[in-house]
Amino acid sequence: MKVAVMGYGTVGSGVVEVIDTHKEIIKKRTGGETLEVSHILDLRDFPGDSHESLFTKDFNDILNDPEVKVVAETMGGVEPAYTFTMKLLKAGKSVITSNKELVAQKGLELLDAAEESGANYLFEASVGGGIPIIRPMSQCLAANNIEGVAGILNGTTNFILTKMIEDGMTFEDALKLAQDNGYAEKDPTADIEGFDACRKVCILASLAFGKHVYPNQVETEGITNITLEDVSYISSIGVIKLLGQIKYISDDKIAAFVSPAVVQHGSQLASVNGVFNAILVRGDAVGDVCFYGPGAGKLPTASAVVADMVDAAKHINRKKIFGWSAGAEDYVVDYKESISVPFYVRAIADSHKIQSVFGEVKYLSRFGQPSKEIAFITDEMTENELKKKLEGIEVINTIKVTNY
Amino acid sequence: MKVAVMGYGTVGSGVVEVIDTHKEIIKKRTGGETLEVSHILDLRDFPGDSHESLFTKDFNDILNDPEVKVVAETMGGVEPAYTFTMKLLKAGKSVITSNKELVAQKGLELLDAAEESGANYLFEASVGGGIPIIRPMSQCLAANNIEGVAGILNGTTNFILTKMIEDGMTFEDALKLAQDNGYAEKDPTADIEGFDACRKVCILASLAFGKHVYPNQVETEGITNITLEDVSYISSIGVIKLLGQIKYISDDKIAAFVSPAVVQHGSQLASVNGVFNAILVRGDAVGDVCFYGPGAGKLPTASAVVADMVDAAKHINRKKIFGWSAGAEDYVVDYKESISVPFYVRAIADSHKIQSVFGEVKYLSRFGQPSKEIAFITDEMTENELKKKLEGIEVINTIKVTNY
């Protein structure tokens, strides 16, 4: 079967490589069908590339080739990926994507278009790189009411936090190391401010509960406020991770947010280190299940794209699984008002003051702790309640504590 | 849609309960179809059970009801489950099972029968209880050549080992606690001797490489030889787990075995504690992915059965994914001859003797170590090579060290 690849960057070139090097297993998995890359769309030139004859700069070459039935979109960004994908789906061609930004922003429209034409729009690679998560959530956990999802969804920030926790590196040094290793972009904003994790939360939330969630509905906080002092206080009870969290509230209300969080020792999420990702799903029947693996990288992500291409090739003219509807304006609640958790608090205060406001708390200590500094874990409360209690106290940092 | 349940034990009654309590989500996941239990087959009586009117002792009531299209087999054991399942599949009814013994022994014949009649034979619940693993392996990792699989596949033994490692309990005390908690049977042989894990290895190996593996092809060693002394020596580098391991050797050769293994700190498998299971899959493109969750239990396992029933209900008259062929007699190699790993060795010997045989090794120590006792980690070698080197040395125990 002829297939096309749009975008020959890291993931796109990986897709072509995986198709080239895995002909046998692909044939086995499709039940005899092979994938033959017939077009690669990219505006850049790749002189000397072994696939040079396949390159085109004209999207219409792909759109108008009736033999191309499955297209991988590995361009990234909303435009022109959105326009291209929409045209392909309307033409009845299946599109496979690793583009989390596009799925998070426009997934609903694109799935509707696929629904209408009978094509498939598959996006396993858009969350958790090579980790199987979309199918397990939508199929294997089909007999569960999902109560919550918590994920380490961004490898760059997890690498930085791991270096801070295990090697005592400062945030700035760890970020620089991540950049030197190619784990972080020159402009690391999307990673360290949590925007990348936010997009993945949107996709997971849409899947888990069947209503589209947009990035601007997900309160997002990055890791730039985390210091080695916080890491040190927390080390006796757990580790700090950047978590995307989704919680079921009612059939037409959920909470969804991205923030640093204290994950306690013993949690499956606590041992996820470096650039690895993990996603924990809590179902009412199954309990906690957790999926772990490389959250990014050329071949892991490409292998997830190609697995979806194999699936689409097997299901030509047959609608696959996923679909969700629009949520109401107020579908995602303000978690600061609705979700109660314990908090880590670090402040300049004395323990009498803290006790008078919070009652009994669990104090934490660190090596070199200044005499006026205090750190502790509160009882469960909402973030708004916490803010009120902390009025008049000189707060240095607060971090949510999870029960995952 | 009418469905039937055969076997009203722990899992079977859980299946009925999950169907009862998850009507809404099931309807959503099937795209509008509901599951209605019309028959429950069990030879026992359940007076007062709220489903009393559905019970039958006659299998033919299910076989001959043309409206029953999907049947859950939660009887366990090979017979009569095999005969019943075969008749149902030949009659074009899909069968969903949690029965690992049957799949491991007769999966090939049953899948062939399903293939022929166009029915589905699905068995997600037979490995890892509620953990999604069958679909992720067969679909999501479709673009990978699988290099190996390692799994903590038996919750009972993992509970016992966890108690030994974390609480210093003896094997006997930990086994008794497992029995008191209902995690182990009165006759714990199938768990502690590794037979249960062996069946799951057969199913995973068959799926991963497409050729059926039978229990008698899988060398199986349980945990009854593990002592607190071994736990203590190993604690500085890792933990002891009962692992099922599968390794690709060539397209017509694999290794598959069950044994205690040293899992090093930092591995995702090292932090899997208590009755939880985890399965790590190593793919050539994706690297390591790991699936974690409850490996047994009424509702987790039942929810996996019901998810398969939902899938079968969606795919009536459409063949689903799985199939494998027969392997040659010598398909599974003797791992003792073929697989090289480092070994943990504990012996009565002096270090000169050890050095003369093994060269430089990594010594381990423990609190209260007798002066004549020695424990160390060897270089990589096969088990047969190890045996030869240990001739004439008074060995207390040896355990494989994994690289997962």
Side-chain angles (χ1 to χ4, degrees), chain B residues 107-140:
Chain B
L108 181 57
E109 289 99 309
L110 292 169
L111 284 163
D112 280 351
E115 179 74 42
E116 221 164 279
S117 74
N120 285 301
Y121 185 52
L122 304 177
F123 43 87
E124 179 68 71
S126 68
V127 181
I131 309 173
I133 176 67
I134 308 261
R135 260 178 210 78
M137 264 182 68
S138 62
Q139 296 189 329
C140 307

Side-chain angles (χ1 to χ4, degrees), chain A residues 22 29 130 132 135 139-140 142-145 268 271 284-286 288-294 299-300 303 307 314 318 321, chain B residues 22 29 130 132 135 139-140 142-145 268 271 284-286 288-294 299-300 303 307 314 318 321:
Chain A
H22 289 71
R29 298 292 188 188
R135 261 179 209 77
Q139 297 189 327
C140 308
N144 279 270
N145 294 311
Q268 259 327 91
S271 58
D284 66 341
V286 76
D288 287 355
V289 294
C290 187
F291 306 89
Y292 164 94
L299 293 183
S303 86
K314 281 166 74 176
R318 254 169 42 198
I321 19 183
Chain B
H22 289 70
R29 298 292 189 188
R135 260 178 210 78
Q139 296 189 329
C140 307
N144 279 270
N145 294 311
Q268 259 327 91
S271 58
D284 67 341
V286 76
D288 287 355
V289 294
C290 188
F291 306 90
Y292 164 94
L299 293 183
S303 85
K314 280 165 74 175
R318 259 177 25 207
I321 18 183

Side-chain angles (χ1 to χ4, degrees), chain B residues 8 47 63 101 116-117 138 179 185 192 213-214 234 248 259 272-273 280 297 331 362 364 371 379 399-400:
Chain B
Y8 199 63
L63 182 65
E101 198 178 346
E116 221 164 279
S117 74
S138 62
Q179 287 171 319
E185 312 268 336
I192 64 176
V213 172
Y214 293 93
I234 286 163
Y248 173 86
S259 72
V272 177
N273 289 325
L280 188 152
Y331 172 56
K362 179 184 169 53
L364 304 172
S371 62
D379 280 344
I399 305 175
K400 283 180 269 295

Side-chain angles (χ1 to χ4, degrees), chain A residues 318-379:
Chain A
R318 254 169 42 198
K319 195 55 208 121
K320 281 279 304 185
I321 19 183
F322 319 113
W324 53 60
S325 55
E329 186 83 348
D330 58 351
Y331 172 56
V332 181
V333 303
D334 179 3
Y335 81 88
K336 293 180 179 176
E337 191 59 45
S338 309
I339 302 287
S340 290
V341 295
F343 283 86
Y344 157 85
V345 177
R346 180 177 160 221
I348 305 295
D350 66 46
S351 59
H352 294 292
K353 172 71 182 168
I354 296 303
Q355 198 176 341
S356 74
V357 175
F358 288 93
E360 289 303 322
V361 295
K362 179 182 170 54
Y363 289 103
L364 304 172
S365 62
R366 68 172 171 103
F367 188 75
Q369 178 173 0
S371 63
K372 286 185 177 164
E373 191 175 280
I374 201 163
F376 58 95
I377 304 289
T378 71
D379 280 344

